[in-house]
Amino acid sequence: MSNPFNAALPRRAVTLVGGLVVALAAVAAYATLHVRHPGAETAGATTSSPSSSDAGQSGVDILLGLARDATREGRLVAPQGNNAYEYYLSVVQLEPENATALDALRETLPFASQEIERLINRRELEEARREIALLRDFDPTNYTLIILGAKLDAQQQVVTAEDEAKAEQIRRRNG
């Protein structure tokens, strides 16, 4: 069985890098808009460079917008790297007490769980495993996720037994 910490580490690194890229993009957009309106300086307006909290806030706003779009489009936990759950988790990494992201994660968990159950029933076990791990990043003790994990393990055992039976049939035929 794989170590869940090892699986979560690359996902967190990707999320952190994504958050940094979004923050840098927000700073660049701010700078671009500021350069396009140079008359503001000559009109007596004071200028200052954006602080890191402004850039972080812009990054959070961008991530929340991406998460809302993904939710509207039905991308709750898939595809990997472009889904609402990962965007909301990124917001929580940037702002651990962000009520919007925390509420959205809680509210979407039941719908995401239903999608995971459908994946298990269709025997798309690796994707189901990835999505369960993603949801566990937010709520590792959630009872529904524990049940889904057990159902995934049971389905994996069924698939393994079927594969072994097929292999045995092939060995018998070949000799």
Side-chain angles (χ1 to χ4, degrees):
M1 184 170 242
S2 66
N3 183 348
F5 179 74
N6 290 339
L9 183 60
R11 184 172 40 255
R12 287 189 181 127
V14 168
T15 303
L16 180 61
V17 169
L20 289 173
V21 167
V22 169
L24 290 173
V27 170
Y30 176 83
T32 301
L33 291 174
H34 190 49
V35 169
R36 287 186 183 173
H37 301 293
E41 291 177 39
T42 59
T46 59
T47 61
S48 64
S49 63
S51 68
S52 61
S53 65
D54 291 342
Q57 185 60 37
S58 298
V60 166
D61 292 340
I62 291 169
L63 287 168
L64 288 173
L66 290 169
R68 280 188 215 91
D69 291 346
T71 301
R72 242 188 331 273
E73 295 169 8
R75 294 180 285 118
L76 293 180
V77 288
Q80 183 174 2
N82 188 14
N83 62 70
Y85 227 83
E86 288 182 43
Y87 291 131
Y88 284 128
L89 285 172
S90 296
V91 170
V92 171
Q93 284 184 339
L94 294 172
E95 290 183 2
E97 302 300 320
N98 186 294
T100 302
L102 293 171
D103 288 345
L105 287 167
R106 272 189 294 277
E107 290 171 6
T108 57
L109 193 133
F111 302 106
S113 297
Q114 291 172 354
E115 176 58 28
I116 292 169
E117 187 164 17
R118 283 191 287 272
L119 288 171
I120 293 169
N121 292 339
R122 289 191 311 249
R123 294 184 174 196
E124 296 178 34
L125 304 183
E126 288 308 310
E127 180 63 13
R129 186 171 279 106
R130 182 196 70 79
E131 292 180 12
I132 288 172
L134 179 63
L135 297 181
R136 283 182 176 159
D137 280 350
F138 174 65
D139 190 354
T141 60
N142 183 284
Y143 186 70
T144 301
L145 296 177
I146 293 169
I147 292 172
L148 285 173
K151 184 173 181 174
L152 175 66
D153 291 343
Q155 187 70 287
Q156 183 66 60
Q157 289 176 354
V158 168
V159 168
T160 300
E162 289 173 352
D163 290 346
E164 288 172 355
K166 287 178 188 175
E168 181 60 30
Q169 286 178 345
I170 292 171
R171 276 193 293 273
R172 286 183 184 165
R173 264 189 263 148
N174 293 336

